[in-house]
């Protein structure tokens, strides 16, 4: 019997990024990809955030993150804010540390009661760290394009890892492209051995950037927190924007600071609660 059968969950969202939060601390074994897909068929989500028993002293939980296709993600900033809100409301805490596949994440109450700040850690720029399939000495731009060689539709993205691989294409209008068609082509391009999140970004001014993202393993999404972080970092590396910026996504806005003293990226934004429920055991009857 699946540990998720008849288990409580919370449906939430982070500026439109659809999130399901499940607390499985004390349960045996991780959620299997087929179980994550079964959940998505019942409660549609972009990411499933599963709290597991902490592995390190001083951490609240180990967070395992699933995309709606059952694949695991290394990071999900919007999902983390949803988890933080649930923990803060349950415990009364105002600061907490979680462990993820991407490392330790420190989280705390934001400047307003409905805002939460996540320290997403330091970005990675090395081609083997992102990872890319071939060497690029400078990942501020990489040689990648889609469309005719002499008139590419998109070209020369910045590549960054924020726990997940990201490719950011700089455009004049983020709504001027069929990202639903181009996104999966680029996500699965051979240059990305672990696939990639694909973002279209427009620098409005040095303090404001607008983006749209095709999320690896999830598809078109109203918001992607790690993509907002990756975009802010990439823009600062290119001297196009300041190290503290506002990122506008289809679902809302995030404040991103690429902190100078340690290069950590801080993301601040809201987390909205929608409803609670329990998983019908029948969902997992045919899950191997």
């Amino acid at each position: 019997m699946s540990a998720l059968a008849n288990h409580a969950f919370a449906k939430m969202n982070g500026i439109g990024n659809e999130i399901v939060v499940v607390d499985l601390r004390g349960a045996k074994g991780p959620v299997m990809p087929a179980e994550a897909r079964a959940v998505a068929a019942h409660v549609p989500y972009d990411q499933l955030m599963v709290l597991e028993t902490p592995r390190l002293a001083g951490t609240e939980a180990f967070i395992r993150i699933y995309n709606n296709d059952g694949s695991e993600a290394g990071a999900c900033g919007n999902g983390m804010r949803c988890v933080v809100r649930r923990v803060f409301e349950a415990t009364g805490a105002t600061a907490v540390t979680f462990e993820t596949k991407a490392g330790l994440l420190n989280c705390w109450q934001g400047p307003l009661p409905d805002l939460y700040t996540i320290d997403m850690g330091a970005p990675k720029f090395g081609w083997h760290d992102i990872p890319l399939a071939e060497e690029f000495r400078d990942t501020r731009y990489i040689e990648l394009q889609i469309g005719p060689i002499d008139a590419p539709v998109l070209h020369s993205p910045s590549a960054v890892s924020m726990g997940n691989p990201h490719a950011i294409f700089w455009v004049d209008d983020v709504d001027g492209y069929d990202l639903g068609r181009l996104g999966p082509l680029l996500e699965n391009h051979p240059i990305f051995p672990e696939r990639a999140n694909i973002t279209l970004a427009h620098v409005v001014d040095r303090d404001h950037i607008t983006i749209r993202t095709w999320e690896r393993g999830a598809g078109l999404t109203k918001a992607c927190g790690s993509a907002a972080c990756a975009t802010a970092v990439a823009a600062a590396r290119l001297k196009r924007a300041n190290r503290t910026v506002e990122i506008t996504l289809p679902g809302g806005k995030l404040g991103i600071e690429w902190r100078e003293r340690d290069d950590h990226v801080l993301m601040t934004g809201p987390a909205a609660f929608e409803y609670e429920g329990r998983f019908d055991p029948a969902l997992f009857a045919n899950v191997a």
Side-chain angles (χ1 to χ4, degrees), residues 100-123:
T100 72
K101 289 179 67 175
L104 295 180
L105 296 182
N106 295 312
C107 316
W108 57 91
Q109 188 71 55
L112 296 173
D114 62 341
L115 296 177
Y116 307 89
T117 298
I118 313 295
D119 181 344
M120 298 287 286

Side-chain angles (χ1 to χ4, degrees), residues 7-11 20-22 42-43 86 275-279:
H7 201 284
F9 69 88
K11 176 64 173 62
V20 172
V21 178
V22 183
H42 177 63
V43 186
R86 294 291 286 180
Y275 62 88
E276 291 180 328
R278 287 189 176 274
F279 294 122

